[in-house]
Amino acid sequence: MAWVLVPAFCLLSGAYAQAWGVTLAPGPLAAGVGSCVTIPCSFTYPAGWNVSAVSWTRDGDQTVYHRDLARVHAAFKGRVRYLGDLQHNCSLRVAGLRPGDQGTYRFRFEAAGDGRRDGWTSLPGQQLNVSDDWCQPSLGRRTEPGPSLTCSVGAACPHRPSWYDRDGARRSPGQTPGGAGATELRISPSQLAPGVALRCQMEGYWDECDSAQSQPLGTVAPSVPRVEGSWPAGKAALREGDGFTLRCQAAALRPITGYVWSRGDEWLPGAGQDLRVDKAADSDGGSYACGVWVSGPGWGYLSLSARESVQVQSAELSCRPKTESPYEELQGRTQDIYSQFVSPRAGSR
């Protein structure tokens, strides 16, 4: 990367002034929401001077980095790392970018020498533009012409997504026809074992804050969700017309950005964490499973639960009177036969 020398505001004049300087990246830096950016920076000063303090600000009124954490603006605490030192490196890294992080960043250092103390602030500074990350994938599912999962990104993302197994084996070598920013994995729920994890990865994407994100799932072990069911209190079994709710419970390491449900061998559309059925029909019975979709810039993974069986008793069966057991029926017939032989007949002596 070619750097340019950005003039620094200097309180000194004369021969010393030409030795002071700050070098920043040329032009504005661009990054996406949720990703990470490093602002490359270096500075110089005359021999015999010692740097005592450094700091970064955004738009001149928010302290982004300072050795005294109490002076750091709350919006940047825990997200900023100073990569430099007190000699010549002043690079800064900002993680978990937000739209409000956009602005002009300025570096300031204070030094002492020649019996004096002075401070310098880089002008005009480094412009950072933060936009929606077009490379954060989203999950879709289809039932026609066959069950499949779709991983897609925005049209402006220069990288292409592909599906991978947990062990890093690529599952989708081709792209979906008609969309360079999507890849379709034709797979049904029955082809995925409980607890399986699939990863969607942007080919060539690299986030400098977490290089592991650019690799297949590998040793990353997302938590396995589970299905919890609830139906009307006091009922041991569901009957047609009853309502029930299935909830997908998961303690993911990263924020969950979506859910997916399946019944039998079909992916169900439009369900969130809760899958609600207001009036159950016989067709609503079956084997249910849920999955959590966790994603970030350049990657996403789907972790699936074990299957939960739901049985819906038909209204016809639930209204039928209770019948005697085979033993009770046989006992009754035996009693009738016995009565015919031992009971006195009408008109006998």
Side-chain angles (χ1 to χ4, degrees), residues 69-259:
L69 294 179
R71 299 177 61 175
V72 176
H73 193 277
F76 290 97
K77 287 185 177 180
R79 298 193 297 121
V80 174
R81 180 183 176 188
Y82 183 65
L83 304 178
D85 48 40
L86 296 180
Q87 282 77 45
H88 300 288
N89 185 1
C90 50
S91 299
L92 184 77
R93 177 172 292 174
V94 184
L97 286 173
R98 306 167 182 173
D101 294 338
Q102 181 166 298
T104 301
Y105 288 72
R106 296 184 176 92
F107 171 70
R108 177 178 174 82
F109 66 99
E110 298 178 0
D114 196 24
R116 293 178 293 179
R117 298 183 62 87
D118 285 287
W120 290 261
T121 301
S122 60
L123 290 176
Q126 180 72 64
Q127 175 66 30
L128 173 63
N129 297 326
V130 180
S131 59
D132 291 338
D133 198 322
W134 302 297
C135 291
Q136 180 162 336
S138 59
L139 176 69
R141 54 269 191 201
R142 296 177 57 187
T143 58
E144 298 293 339
S148 64
L149 296 172
T150 302
C151 178
S152 59
V153 292
C157 179
H159 307 285
R160 299 189 175 205
S162 292
W163 284 102
Y164 290 87
D165 285 328
R166 180 192 296 274
D167 61 2
R170 192 174 180 182
R171 295 292 298 267
S172 57
Q175 304 302 123
T176 302
T183 182
E184 184 176 341
L185 179 63
R186 295 184 179 178
I187 195 166
S188 64
S190 63
Q191 294 175 284
L192 297 172
V196 74
L198 295 172
R199 186 179 184 106
C200 178
Q201 183 67 48
M202 302 302 104
E203 302 295 335
Y205 186 96
W206 182 72
D207 187 338
E208 58 186 297
C209 285
D210 187 1
S211 59
Q213 292 181 357
S214 63
Q215 303 301 321
L217 193 57
T219 59
V220 177
S223 62
V224 178
R226 68 182 188 279
V227 177
E228 293 183 352
S230 62
W231 40 76
K235 291 192 175 183
L238 283 170
R239 296 180 179 179
E240 286 185 326
D242 289 340
F244 69 92
T245 299
L246 300 178
R247 166 159 287 198
C248 190
Q249 297 281 19
L253 300 179
R254 297 177 183 268
I256 297 173
T257 55
Y259 295 86

